[in-house]
């Protein structure tokens, strides 16, 4: 496109040069004028030669290159650069006219020269607008030097004309952008049309070739149909296997088990026993070693179940780390229990699992729930429900247990269902039935109160007093622990904020892992502190060691945010959970609380554990709190060991907030020692 307009551009250049020469013929310095004309001739000759070379190259180009936008071979940019260089040099040559000759010209010659240059600038910008930078550069070289010289050396009229020249230049900036955009749109459209035409020709040829190939393919298709039919049969079998088998373990999946159960649990069918197997500690393996190791463990468990349960109707992976084994019932329930124990024993054998890179030792246990058909249910759903209740009871009693479903377990299941429903209603009603009691924590030597631990209680109008150990796990599982935790934190902060006059330093609130992992935990905590007016330095979050088996990267970010805000962290029930020195080293905890079970056994094995825990806490700069202190002997031994703080019924039982407040403020007793007769 540039070279197509080259002849006209050269003619315009000649005409402008002639006009400038005529304008300056009387007043220009002869020598400078001569050099300027010589450079003009050189530039015109170069442009004519470049246009000639381009036309010759275009005639020898491959027609296909022309269609795809390369009319002169493999390096079209070389031609563009050459054209641009000559245009810029021409602009510089014309700009020199203004710079060198205007100071010696009369006003009429300067105005005439500026008019000629302005006209050429407008025409040149229009011609060159397809290359925006080139058009703007050429226009600037023609307009700006002339306008500047008119302003500098001219009179009032010339300064006006010079100013108009600048305005003209800025107007051309917008005009060039719009012209360039429209030109490029049309050029793209032209290019697409050419490509479409070329493709249509190619497709026409391809269609002709395809007709020939189609005839050949029809013959080949007849031969391939037979092969395809055989493959379809194979694929159908494979799809059925995939639809009825678990992709990880190769066992029957839930869909397959449900289909099989419809045939097994017929009213006149044989007696059956369903074993519901749930792995113990599998979540810890996934969280601490990775899902690749977890998958390897599930595969190994499936193989061990197959080896131990050879004579069964079906072995199925129910989901996650749960397996269902269905077998014909023994006449004696004890035989079913022995079979379940055989499964537990086979799974509990120590082994190793691989994450794809290395093998590592892994130990896993299982609990088994047993339900019998038709005694415990008439459908798979009934038996799964009963066996699940039995597994729940087995897990409550420890790892590696097997329980049979009983009416008592059914009562437990119904009670849990009632608790879930009652908890939902209580939350919807603003937690009216929930309340907090507070247990004081004392300095081991002065027996002064140093903090209070907020403890949650629930008295239901129908179910009576419900232990936190009963309803909190259900709230954890349902997610309602988030709302409960917010309520507890707000109530405890309000209570503590009102005790400023009594100089109580800290309030301790238990927080679950699920609360910590909630994305809004930090924001909600900050909002509650702001609304209640409690300073963050007086708030302590108590966390059990189960926090270490969660997503530690996310937990560590929560710890950092709490530490930044001044909120303290205490590790509760230390020694009973997932104790990890590596994690303990990275937790910004200020306090370590020794579980009451070690305090109770201080004379029968608990002493060295407590002593080691104190040494560990000292190494990390933590205070040590002993829980569950109930006797003077325990208090004396713990003081001798160097425990910092004491918590237990010996010095103070949990009590409602109003009683705690009266006692702390000295309304009921002058003593700082708490001695409630009632067990709250």
């Amino acid at each position: 496109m540039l070279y197509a307009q080259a002849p006209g551009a050269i003619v315009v250049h000649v005409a402008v040069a002639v006009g400038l020469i005529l304008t300056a013929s009387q007043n220009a310095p002869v020598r400078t004028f001569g050099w300027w004309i010589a450079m003009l001739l050189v530039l015109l000759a170069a442009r004519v030669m470049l246009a000639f070379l381009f036309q010759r190259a275009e005639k020898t180009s491959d027609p296909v290159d022309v269609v795809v936008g390369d009319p002169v071979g493999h390096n079209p940019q070389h031609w563009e650069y050459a054209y641009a260089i000559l245009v810029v040099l021409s602009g510089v040559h014309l700009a020199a006219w203004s710079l060198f000759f205007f100071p010696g010209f009369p006003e009429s010659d300067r105005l005439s020269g500026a008019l000629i240059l302005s006209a050429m600038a407008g025409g040149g910008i229009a011609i060159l607008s397809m290359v925006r930078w080139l058009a703007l550069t050429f226009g600037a070289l023609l307009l700006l030097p002339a306008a500047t010289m008119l302003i500098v050396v001219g009179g009032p009229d010339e300064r006006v004309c010079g100013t108009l020249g600048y305005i003209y230049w800025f107007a051309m900036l917008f005009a060039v952008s719009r012209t360039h955009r429209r030109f490029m749109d049309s050029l793209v459209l032209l290019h697409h049309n050419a490509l479409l035409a070329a493709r249509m020709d190619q497709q026409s040829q391809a269609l002709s070739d395809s007709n020939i190939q189609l005839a050949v393919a029809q013959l080949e298709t007849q031969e391939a149909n037979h092969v395809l039919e055989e493959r379809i049969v194979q694929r159908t079998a494979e799809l059925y296997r995939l639809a009825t088998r678990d992709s990880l373990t190769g066992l029957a999946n839930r869909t397959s088990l449900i289909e099989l159960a419809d045939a097994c649990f017929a009213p006149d069918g044989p007696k059956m026993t369903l074993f519901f197997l749930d792995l113990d500690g599998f979540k810890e393996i996934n969280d601490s070693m990775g899902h690749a190791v977890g998958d390897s463990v599930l595969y190994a468990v499936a193989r061990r179940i197959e080896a131990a349960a050879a004579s069964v109707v079906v072995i199925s992976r129910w989901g996650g780390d749960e397996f269902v084994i269905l077998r014909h019932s023994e006449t004696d329930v004890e035989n079913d229990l022995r079979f379940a124990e055989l499964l537990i024993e086979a799974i509990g054998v120590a082994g190793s699992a691989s994450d794809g890179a290395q093998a590592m030792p892994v130990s896993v246990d299982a609990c088994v729930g047993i339900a019998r058909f038709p005694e415990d249910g008439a459908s798979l759903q009934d038996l799964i429900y009963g066996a699940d209740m039995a597994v729940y009871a087995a897990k409550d009693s420890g790892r590696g247990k097997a329980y049979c479903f009983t009416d008592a377990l059914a009562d437990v299941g119904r009670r849990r269902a009632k608790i879930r429903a009652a908890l939902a209603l209580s939350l919807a009603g603003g937690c009216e039935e929930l309340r907090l009691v507070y247990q004081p924590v004392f300095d081991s030597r002065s027996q002064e109160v140093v903090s209070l631990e907020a403890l949650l209680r629930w008295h239901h109008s129908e179910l009576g007093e419900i232990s936190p150990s009963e309803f909190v796990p259900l709230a954890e599982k349902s997610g309602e622990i988030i709302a409960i935790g917010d309520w507890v934190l707000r109530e405890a902060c309000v209570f503590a904020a009102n005790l400023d006059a009594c100089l109580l330093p800290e309030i301790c609130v238990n927080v679950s892992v699920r609360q910590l992992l909630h994305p809004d935990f930090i924001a909600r905590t900050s909002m509650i502190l702001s609304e209640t007016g409690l300073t963050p330095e007086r708030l302590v979050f108590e966390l059990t060691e189960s926090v270490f088996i969660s997503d530690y990267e996310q937990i560590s970010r929560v710890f950092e945010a709490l530490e930044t805000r001044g909120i303290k962290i205490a590790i509760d029930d230390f020694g009973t959970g997932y104790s990890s020195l590596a994690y303990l080293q990275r937790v910004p905890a200020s306090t370590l609380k020794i579980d009451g079970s070690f305090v109770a056994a201080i004379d029968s094995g608990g002493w060295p554990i407590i002593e080691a825990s104190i040494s560990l806490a000292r190494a990390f700069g933590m205070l040590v709190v002993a829980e569950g202190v109930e006797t003077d002997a325990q208090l004396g031994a713990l003081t001798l060991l160097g425990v910092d703080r004491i918590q237990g019924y010996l010095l103070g039982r949990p009590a409602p907030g109003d009683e705690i407040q009266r006692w702390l403020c000295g309304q009921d007793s002058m003593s700082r020692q708490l001695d409630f007769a009632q067990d709250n």
Side-chain angles (χ1 to χ4, degrees):
M1 294 291 290
L2 286 172
Y3 281 93
Q5 301 181 68
I10 294 171
V11 172
V12 171
H13 192 174
V14 172
V16 168
V18 171
L20 293 175
I21 291 170
L22 293 176
T23 301
S25 60
Q26 300 298 325
N27 299 301
V30 175
R31 186 172 182 178
T32 305
F33 189 56
W35 277 110
W36 189 88
I37 293 175
M39 289 302 301
L40 171 66
L41 296 176
V42 171
L43 288 172
L44 289 174
R47 295 185 68 175
V48 171
M49 179 60 69
L50 183 64
F52 172 75
L53 293 175
F54 179 86
Q55 290 179 358
R56 189 172 67 176
E58 188 177 29
K59 291 179 181 178
T60 59
S61 297
D62 191 330
V64 176
D65 291 333
V66 177
V67 172
V68 299
D70 186 358
V72 290
H74 298 293
N75 295 302
Q77 285 187 339
H78 292 175
W79 294 98
E80 181 181 344
Y81 292 156
Y83 189 93
I85 290 171
L86 289 179
V87 169
V88 172
L89 290 175
S90 298
V92 172
H93 178 257
L94 293 172
W97 177 270
S98 304
L99 297 173
F100 292 131
F101 298 144
F102 268 25
F105 284 179
E107 180 179 354
S108 60
D109 290 348
R110 285 196 294 266
L111 291 175
S112 298
L115 180 61
I116 293 171
L117 291 173
S118 299
M120 186 173 184
I125 287 176
I127 293 173
L128 299 172
S129 60
M130 62 191 73
V131 182
R132 183 166 43 191
W133 73 267
L134 184 58
L136 294 175
T137 302
F138 185 72
L141 289 171
L142 267 63
L143 282 175
L144 299 185
T148 302
M149 294 304 295
L150 288 177
I151 294 172
V152 172
V153 303
D157 294 338
E158 290 176 280
R159 285 194 289 274
V160 171
C161 291
T163 303
L164 291 175
Y166 273 99
I167 295 172
Y168 186 32
W169 159 246
F170 283 111
M172 284 186 177
L173 287 178
F174 298 100
V176 167
S177 297
R178 296 184 61 184
T179 305
H180 174 76
R181 185 166 57 252
R182 292 176 180 175
F183 170 77
M184 293 306 297
D185 291 342
S186 63
L187 192 60
V188 169
L189 182 60
L190 178 64
H191 180 71
H192 286 174
N193 289 339
L195 286 177
L196 287 174
R199 288 173 184 169
M200 288 180 62
D201 291 340
Q202 294 174 353
Q203 289 173 358
S204 297
Q205 182 61 39
L207 182 61
S208 177
D209 295 340
S210 297
N211 289 333
I212 298 173
Q213 294 174 1
L214 182 61
V216 177
Q218 288 176 344
L219 298 176
E220 295 175 349
T221 301
Q222 295 176 356
E223 298 177 2
N225 282 340
H226 178 68
V227 177
L228 288 174
E229 288 175 359
E230 293 181 353
R231 290 182 179 176
I232 288 172
V233 173
Q234 295 173 355
R235 293 287 178 87
T236 302
E238 177 67 13
L239 288 173
Y240 179 77
R241 187 190 69 80
L242 293 174
T244 57
R245 291 284 162 179
D246 177 60
S247 60
L248 175 61
T249 64
L251 300 176
N253 60 15
R254 183 181 296 198
T255 301
S256 178
L257 177 63
I258 293 173
E259 292 178 354
L260 182 63
D262 291 338
C264 290
F265 300 139
D268 55 349
K271 292 186 176 183
M272 307 291 292
T273 301
L274 185 143
F275 300 84
F276 194 92
L277 187 149
D278 192 337
L279 299 183
D280 295 327
F282 181 73
K283 185 178 186 302
E284 288 87 338
I285 293 174
N286 256 349
D287 290 339
S288 61
M289 299 184 182
H291 289 280
V293 174
D295 290 347
S296 179
V297 168
L298 290 175
Y299 183 84
V301 167
R303 302 291 78 78
R304 292 182 179 185
I305 294 174
E306 286 180 326
S311 57
V312 297
V313 176
V314 66
I315 303 171
S316 168
R317 183 185 178 198
W318 184 250
D321 60 344
E322 300 171 336
F323 299 84
V324 172
I325 299 97
L326 194 62
R327 71 193 294 253
H328 292 290
S329 288
E330 300 284 351
T331 55
D332 189 355
V333 175
E334 292 299 323
N335 290 331
D336 287 335
L337 283 172
R338 281 193 291 272
F339 178 77
E341 291 169 356
L342 178 66
L343 292 174
I344 294 171
E345 182 180 352
I347 292 170
V349 176
S352 62
S354 173
D355 61 356
Q358 60 178 347
M360 52 192 73
V362 173
S363 178
V364 64
D365 293 320
C367 286
V368 178
I370 304 170
R372 294 163 62 92
F373 169 82
E375 297 96 315
D376 299 328
S379 66
L380 176 65
Q381 182 178 358
D382 294 339
L383 295 179
I384 290 289
Y385 174 79
D388 188 40
M389 290 295 100
V391 165
Y392 210 111
K395 285 185 175 292
D396 284 344
S397 64
R399 299 166 69 102
K401 302 292 184 180
Y403 271 47
C404 289
F405 176 74
T406 62
D407 290 339
L409 291 180
D411 293 339
V412 171
R414 284 189 287 271
R415 176 174 170 81
R416 285 182 177 139
K418 288 182 179 179
I419 290 175
R420 289 192 191 98
L423 188 59
L425 288 175
S426 179
L427 291 174
C431 303
E432 293 180 353
E433 295 178 333
L434 298 178
R435 71 185 192 281
L436 291 183
V437 294
Y438 301 90
Q439 186 174 23
V441 179
F442 298 85
D443 183 272
S444 62
R445 291 175 176 79
S446 67
Q447 295 188 11
E448 291 288 318
V449 176
V450 291
S451 64
L452 294 174
E453 180 179 0
L455 301 172
L456 182 61
R457 298 292 184 264
W458 182 18
H459 184 84
H460 189 261
S461 57
E462 178 184 349
L463 299 173
E465 195 71 26
I466 305 174
S467 170
S469 62
E470 189 174 12
F471 71 82
V472 168
L474 298 177
E476 286 268 9
K477 191 172 183 179
S478 66
E480 293 169 331
I481 192 66
I482 304 298
I484 293 175
D486 285 350
W487 181 85
V488 169
L489 180 59
R490 185 178 296 277
E491 291 292 309
C493 288
V494 169
F495 173 73
N498 292 332
L499 292 177
D500 282 345
C502 302
L503 301 178
L504 179 69
E506 295 176 350
I507 184 74
C508 304
V509 178
N510 292 281
V511 178
S512 71
V513 176
R514 189 157 186 174
Q515 288 176 262
L516 285 178
L517 292 176
H518 195 280
D520 295 334
F521 175 71
I522 296 297
R524 289 202 306 271
T525 300
S526 299
M527 180 182 67
I528 290 173
L529 287 172
S530 175
E531 292 174 354
T532 60
L534 183 69
T535 58
E537 292 75 16
R538 294 181 56 205
L539 177 61
V540 180
F541 281 144
E542 295 195 1
L543 313 170
T544 63
E545 293 174 285
S546 61
V547 70
F548 297 140
I549 64 175
S550 304
D551 182 354
Y552 187 76
E553 294 301 323
Q554 183 176 350
I555 289 291
S556 64
R557 289 193 290 270
V558 177
F559 286 161
E560 291 175 4
L562 293 176
E563 186 178 24
T564 300
R565 287 162 174 78
I567 299 172
K568 300 182 182 68
I569 298 172
I571 300 175
D572 197 11
D573 301 334
F574 182 75
T576 62
Y578 185 80
S579 301
S580 169
L581 296 182
Y583 285 138
L584 188 62
Q585 184 180 15
R586 291 187 284 171
V587 175
S590 61
T591 305
L592 187 146
K593 301 186 74 173
I594 299 174
D595 188 70
S597 61
F598 300 119
V599 174
I602 195 169
D603 295 328
S604 57
W607 182 289
I609 296 177
I610 295 174
E611 189 174 26
S613 299
I614 293 173
S615 298
L616 183 64
R618 293 287 183 264
F620 289 116
M622 300 181 187
L623 295 173
V624 179
V625 179
E627 299 179 297
V629 181
E630 298 183 354
T631 67
D632 290 328
Q634 292 172 353
L635 176 61
L638 291 167
T639 303
L640 182 62
L641 282 169
V643 169
D644 300 295
R645 296 178 179 180
I646 299 296
Q647 183 178 5
Y649 284 8
L650 176 66
L651 297 179
R653 295 172 177 267
D658 55 349
E659 295 184 20
I660 290 285
Q661 188 169 13
R662 287 196 301 271
W663 173 78
L664 287 173
C665 295
Q667 297 179 16
D668 291 349
S669 171
M670 295 301 293
S671 171
R672 295 286 288 179
Q673 181 171 334
L674 194 62
D675 186 19
F676 290 111
Q678 72 275 23
D679 182 1
N680 293 289

